[in-house]
Amino acid sequence: MNKVFDLAFIIEKAVLIGGIITVSLLIAMYSTWAERKVAGFMQDRLGPNRAGWGGLLQPLADGLKLFMKEEIIPNASNKTLFILGPALAMLTAMMTSAVIPWGGKIEVFGRTVDLQIADINIGILYIFGVVSMGVYGIMIGGWASNNKFSLLAALRGASQMISYELAMGLAIIALLMITGSLSLKTIVEQQSTGWWNFFLQPVGFLIFMVCAFAECNRTPFDLPEAENELNFGYHQEYSSMKLGFYLFAEYINMFISSALMATLYFGGYDIPFVNDANLGANIGINALAAIQGITLFLKVAFFIFFFMWVRWTIPRFRYDQLMNLGWKVLIPLALLNMLVTGAVILWLGH
C-alpha cells in the first residue's frame, strides 16, 4: 500500500512525534531543576529541596504557578502578535527534533520502525531553516509588547542569532566536506564505522558549540535577557504560560542543540568501543535500539551539564565583545577551518 495512505505508518509517526515531544518537555522541565542544583553545588548551597525528595517536584510546582498566574496583555500591544510570539518560539524549538535520529531500528507488530521522525536527505538544511525562523519568535514578541526595553532586547537577540548562524553554517560546511551528506542518519552511520567527527573536525566543533551557546541565548551570550541593562529582556511584558513558553523554548533549544552536537560530532546513538551490528545480533534489535537511545541521551546529558557549568562559571560578555567575537574571530576562523579541510581532502585524494 502507498505510504501516504498507510494507516499503520501514520500511527507509527504520530506515536513517535508524541513520544519525542513528551520527552522534550520533560527534559525541559527537569533541566530547570538540574540548573538550580548545579548552581547550588557550584555556589556551595543546596538548591531546590522542599518540593518532593531533593526538590524533584519543584518543576511541577513552577508549572502550576505559571498556569495559575494572571494572564496579562498590555493595552497598547498588538494582541495577535503578542500571543503569536511565544507560540512561534515554542513551535520552532520543537520542529528541529524531527530529523534527529534517536536510535537505530525497532520491530513492533512485525514492522521495522526507524527511531527518527523524518530521514530527509537535507536534514541539516532543514535544521538551519527552522532555527533561522526562531528569531521571529523573539522579534515578534519584543515588538508586539510595545515596550522599548523589550524591543531593544529583541533587536539584540535578532542580530546576535544572525551573526552566529553565519559562523555555525561555515563550521558545518567543513563537516559536510568530510561526510558528503546532509542526512543526519547517514552522518551517524559513517561515524559508527570509523572515527567520530570530533576527532576530524575539533576546530569546527568548537566553533559550532560556541555558536550554539549564542543561538540558545545562554550565558555568556544571554544579552537579550540582560537584566542589568534591559530589565527582564524581550519577554518583560509576558506572564503566565506565555512567559512559560519562552522559558520552555530556551531549555528545549538547549536540549536539541546538545542532541545535534552529539549527533554531528560524537557519533549520535553510536555506542563507543562496541560493534553495534554484532551486539544487535546477540541481544536483538529492540534491545540494541534501547541501548543506543540511552547512549545518545547520556551524551546529551553531558552537553546540558556543560551548558549549565559554563553559565555559573563565566561572566556575561558586553555587547560589543559579543559582536566582535562573532564577526572578527569565529567567522574568519570558520573560513580558515573550511579552507584547511578542503586542502587536506585534496591532498589525501592524490
Side-chain angles (χ1 to χ4, degrees):
M1 185 183 293
N2 192 322
K3 276 194 175 182
V4 176
F5 303 103
D6 188 346
L7 181 60
F9 176 78
I10 294 172
I11 293 172
E12 163 195 317
K13 293 301 179 183
V15 170
L16 194 56
I17 290 168
I20 290 173
I21 289 175
T22 302
V23 169
S24 298
L25 292 175
L26 284 172
I27 289 177
M29 279 177 55
Y30 277 92
S31 290
T32 64
W33 171 84
E35 179 123 56
R36 284 177 278 186
K37 280 293 186 182
V38 170
F41 172 76
M42 299 192 75
Q43 297 170 354
D44 197 22
R45 54 186 178 81
L46 294 176
N49 65 343
R50 290 287 187 270
W53 180 81
L56 284 172
L57 298 181
Q58 187 65 47
L60 299 179
D62 292 340
L64 181 63
K65 178 187 72 173
L66 287 171
F67 274 112
M68 299 300 292
K69 287 183 73 173
E70 182 182 1
E71 286 274 1
I72 297 173
I73 299 179
N75 289 331
S77 66
N78 184 316
K79 293 178 175 56
T80 302
L81 294 180
F82 189 79
I83 296 171
L84 181 62
L88 187 58
M90 193 71 172
L91 177 65
T92 55
M94 295 301 308
M95 285 175 63
T96 49
S97 63
V99 295
I100 295 176
W102 302 98
K105 300 176 186 291
I106 59 173
E107 288 184 356
V108 182
F109 302 118
R111 291 178 62 91
T112 301
V113 179
D114 277 316
L115 293 180
Q116 183 180 15
I117 295 172
D119 181 16
I120 54 178
N121 57 3
I122 53 167
I124 294 178
L125 291 182
Y126 167 85
I127 286 176
F128 271 91
V130 173
V131 166
S132 298
M133 289 173 56
V135 71
Y136 291 105
I138 292 176
M139 278 301 301
I140 288 173
W143 183 82
S145 299
N146 197 29
N147 179 303
K148 62 182 180 182
F149 294 110
S150 299
L151 179 59
L152 285 171
L155 289 171
R156 277 187 169 190
S159 60
Q160 171 178 320
M161 292 176 77
I162 291 169
S163 301
Y164 280 80
E165 278 173 14
L166 292 171
M168 181 181 281
L170 292 171
I172 289 295
I173 289 174
L175 180 65
L176 297 181
M177 293 166 70
I178 294 174
T179 62
S181 175
L182 290 164
S183 166
L184 272 71
K185 187 83 168 181
T186 303
I187 291 173
V188 170
E189 289 171 351
Q190 287 176 350
Q191 294 176 88
S192 65
T193 57
W195 291 92
W196 285 353
N197 288 330
F198 167 75
F199 299 105
L200 305 176
Q201 279 288 307
V203 176
F205 166 70
L206 180 64
I207 295 168
F208 188 93
M209 183 177 64
V210 173
C211 293
F213 273 85
E215 285 285 316
C216 295
N217 295 327
R218 296 285 301 183
T219 306
F221 306 115
D222 61 336
L223 274 299
E225 303 170 13
E227 295 92 342
N228 57 336
E229 301 168 38
L230 297 171
N231 293 344
F232 198 48
Y234 59 88
H235 45 58
Q236 177 170 334
E237 298 289 350
Y238 284 90
S239 64
S240 191
M241 276 310 295
K242 291 194 290 296
L243 172 62
F245 270 24
Y246 271 126
L247 301 180
F248 256 71
E250 178 182 319
Y251 280 98
I252 291 173
N253 279 328
M254 183 172 69
F255 166 58
I256 298 298
S257 295
S258 299
L260 197 55
M261 285 190 284
T263 299
L264 292 176
Y265 291 98
F266 288 88
Y269 57 78
D270 177 48
I271 307 168
F273 312 114
V274 172
N275 186 311
D276 291 15
N278 290 342
L279 181 62
N282 291 325
I283 66 173
I285 188 173
N286 288 355
L288 174 64
I291 297 173
Q292 288 175 332
I294 292 170
T295 301
L296 175 59
F297 276 96
L298 287 174
K299 296 173 185 178
V300 169
F302 169 79
F303 282 117
I304 290 176
F305 169 73
F306 188 73
F307 271 98
M308 297 172 181
W309 183 14
V310 169
R311 175 172 184 175
W312 301 105
T313 305
I314 301 176
R316 178 184 294 131
F317 280 32
R318 292 197 319 265
Y319 196 70
D320 61 316
Q321 293 172 329
L322 172 82
M323 299 306 285
N324 283 338
L325 178 66
W327 288 96
K328 296 182 180 180
V329 178
L330 290 183
I331 290 178
L333 186 60
L335 283 168
L336 179 63
N337 180 59
M338 186 175 64
L339 291 172
V340 170
T341 301
V344 170
I345 290 173
L346 287 173
W347 180 65
L348 292 176
H350 285 293

